[in-house]
Amino acid sequence: MSELDEVRSRRRFGLIAGMAVLPLAVDLATKQIALANFSPADPVSTLGGFLKFTLISNSGAAFSVGEDATWLFSAAKLIVITGMLWIARRVRVPLWGVVFGLLVGGAAGNLVDRVFRPPSPFQGAVIDWIQLPYWPVFNIADMAVVCGGALAMVAVFRGINLDGSLVSEKSAETGKPSGPEGKNADDGKGKGQGVN
């Protein structure tokens, strides 16, 4: 690896790490503030009732689904974080660096709750405290995951690969049309030749 490649690699790692640590730190800090100041019985209402701060301990997933399988969610998050870090090594553009950083940081924020909070390791409940109308109570880690997912969709719709190349460029290199049309065209050729 050349010196320039090493510098770029360190920058990419720094971006991903920074974008992961920021939401993780904010999430952990705000959860401690929520534990000290809010309660499920007495939510704090603001913005005319549009935004409420109420403390919820969620041992399940979204909408409190699967409350008896907390250990399974803990294991799944650990596997997902490991997988994202493995794939993130291929990232060559800032947009994807931000995506992976937010996803890892958000997932790690809720994993910390599951591993270290009562009642026992890997059985802990996630602290949620932000409430909007018609939406389950959530936290900063959840916001990071949603923002990371939204940015990932932007990158996919714009055709930006992890290495910074465009999907259309990759298709031009292989000589095949991009997207499902290319696959269908190949399939059609194969079927046509078989019939003749």
Side-chain angles (χ1 to χ4, degrees):
M1 182 183 286
S2 71
E3 186 176 337
L4 181 58
D5 288 337
E6 287 181 8
V7 170
R8 287 176 176 165
S9 179
R10 283 197 298 270
R11 285 181 181 167
R12 286 191 302 271
F13 175 79
L15 175 62
I16 294 170
M19 291 307 301
V21 168
L22 179 62
L24 175 60
V26 173
D27 179 62
L28 295 178
T30 54
K31 283 174 179 172
Q32 290 306 117
I33 293 169
L35 284 168
N37 295 284
F38 307 134
S39 74
D42 188 23
V44 176
S45 185
T46 185
L47 298 179
F50 177 76
L51 176 64
K52 294 180 181 177
F53 301 123
T54 183
L55 188 64
I56 300 292
S57 296
N58 183 6
S59 57
F63 300 98
S64 297
V65 173
E67 290 183 326
D68 296 329
T70 304
W71 66 271
L72 186 59
F73 294 119
S74 302
K77 276 202 186 301
L78 193 55
I79 291 168
V80 167
I81 290 171
T82 303
M84 284 191 293
L85 289 173
W86 179 262
I87 295 170
R89 299 178 314 142
R90 296 169 39 206
V91 169
R92 299 289 182 271
V93 290
L95 177 57
W96 278 111
V98 171
V99 166
F100 277 95
L102 288 173
L103 293 175
V104 169
N110 287 334
L111 180 62
V112 167
D113 282 0
R114 296 195 185 280
V115 172
F116 295 106
R117 294 197 188 275
S120 61
F122 289 93
Q123 298 283 339
V126 172
I127 302 301
D128 292 324
W129 58 278
I130 305 169
Q131 185 176 12
L132 295 174
Y134 313 110
W135 197 256
V137 184
F138 58 97
N139 57 44
I140 300 297
D142 298 330
M143 291 173 60
V145 170
V146 169
C147 290
L151 285 174
M153 290 177 63
V154 169
V156 168
F157 281 122
R158 291 180 62 187
I160 302 172
N161 293 311
L162 295 177
D163 63 1
S165 65
L166 298 176
V167 171
S168 57
E169 291 174 357
K170 291 272 186 182
S171 300
E173 289 173 10
T174 60
K176 296 178 182 177
S178 62
E181 294 81 8
K183 184 178 184 298
N184 292 339
D186 288 346
D187 290 347
K189 286 178 183 175
K191 288 175 185 174
Q193 289 170 352
V195 171
N196 291 335

